[in-house]
Amino acid sequence: MNYSENAVTAKVHALFAKRLTDEDYANLLSFHSNEEIFNYLRNETSYAEYLDVLPSVTLSSSRFENALQKCLLDRKASLCRFQKLIGDKTYSYFIKKDEIEAILYCARHLDTEIITDLFDRPAFFIREQSVSGTELQRATSFDEFADLLSQTPYAKKVEPLFSSDSNYKSLAALERILFNDLYSNLKATICKKYKGKSSKEIIRYIEFISDMSIISSFYRLTENYPDFKNYQAGILMPSVTAFTPKEIRQFEAAQTAKDVLNIVKASVYGKYFTEKITNIDLFVRKLTVEKSVKNIRYSQNPILSLFSYETVLQNEINNIIHIIEGVKYGLNPSEISDILVKGGC
């Protein structure tokens, strides 16, 4: 491992050490207002440097959550700047992923005149990204959104989706197209830069992240929309996957959530799906976080640790937001705790 790789590993481990502890979660779950949660994060945790500039007196849940997402982006930007400094181009994945999240956020809020706080992004991201969220948020219909997106580097990728004869004009289809492109580009970058075991380890992790999303999507579609099959005609298929062509065809033909689980249990992921599942999204989150934490703790691959840390960090932000929402709607601590994934505390 060279100096640059050692530096990446050291930085990831230093950031990982700042994660919330079991004691932090216990304290957060004991609070009854945004102000108490905010003040604890600002005074007792590593979020202090990001939250210190905000007043807590009139902090709404939405503004609080936006501030937390900004914390997430600032930490990612710090990692990206470091990667760029040492000449590692895989940082572009984080830039593009945030760009895609902004595109999808705008697509989900076409009926909102102005999306406040969404585009308060780190300067590094703004300089590196090719799509302007402030432009996309002007769209108030799917057709207007398509016109604006056609003026970006994503135009050719989404053109089949937005064509007049397309049967797939949906957010699910748009999300899959954009993320398939993201994972494909990342795999190509990894294969070009890394060889042998290092390359295989990172690609297996990318496949895992992509496939867990696919499993969750198919499970929910077959369980909640059994007659809505047009999503399954190839549009949800991952571009980077550990599933075999036969298993992909089986997914497309699946009629029920049980069918989906049977396919998974017979696949390379079968060893993870041995227990009864009551909430597929929570179950997949737990698997993903546990695998990511294990990578950070035991892997000698610095880039694998870096990608794994991003997953752990996003999960921690999601946990805090779940706590904020739980307090907002008057859930008791045990109910909130049940929807948290605290792997690696």
Side-chain angles (χ1 to χ4, degrees), residues 32-155:
H32 300 91
S33 69
N34 285 346
E35 285 70 32
E36 289 178 292
I37 298 171
F38 178 88
N39 287 329
Y40 182 84
L41 291 173
R42 183 171 61 177
N43 297 327
E44 305 294 338
T45 73
S46 63
Y47 289 93
E49 62 181 296
Y50 304 103
L51 299 178
D52 201 40
V53 296
L54 292 174
S56 62
V57 178
T58 58
L59 197 66
S60 66
S61 295
S62 60
R63 191 176 178 211
F64 194 179
E65 291 171 16
N66 284 332
L68 289 169
Q69 294 292 355
K70 181 64 163 51
C71 294
L72 173 68
L73 293 177
D74 283 342
R75 286 190 179 180
K76 285 186 183 182
S78 174
L79 289 167
C80 288
R81 287 194 298 269
F82 184 75
Q83 279 185 280
K84 186 175 183 180
L85 184 64
I86 64 176
D88 188 335
K89 294 184 179 179
T90 55
Y91 79 90
S92 63
Y93 164 81
F94 300 105
I95 302 294
K96 292 296 181 183
K97 183 178 180 183
D98 177 64
E99 193 169 70
I100 288 171
E101 295 287 2
I103 290 171
L104 294 172
Y105 195 95
C106 288
R108 294 187 190 105
H109 292 79
L110 293 175
D111 59 344
T112 305
E113 187 173 344
I114 298 176
I115 306 173
T116 58
D117 293 334
L118 174 62
F119 302 109
D120 183 17
R121 280 166 152 68
F124 180 82
F125 275 31
I126 294 173
R127 289 195 302 270
E128 295 278 336
Q129 289 175 341
S130 57
V131 173
S132 170
T134 54
E135 289 296 315
L136 289 178
Q137 73 170 333
R138 293 192 292 109
T140 57
S141 69
F142 209 61
D143 288 338
E144 286 182 15
F145 188 76
D147 288 340
L148 290 170
L149 208 55
S150 69
Q151 301 169 38
T152 74
Y154 292 96

Side-chain angles (χ1 to χ4, degrees), residues 9 28 45 63 72 93 183 238 242 248 276 301 311 317 319:
T9 301
L28 290 170
T45 73
R63 191 176 178 211
L72 173 68
Y93 164 81
Y183 292 134
I248 288 175
K276 184 178 180 180
N301 188 324
T311 298
I317 295 292
N319 280 342

Side-chain angles (χ1 to χ4, degrees), residues 220-232:
R220 280 187 276 106
L221 279 173
T222 51
E223 184 174 52
N224 300 319
Y225 306 100
D227 298 324
F228 201 40
K229 298 299 181 185
N230 65 335
Y231 281 165
Q232 295 175 244

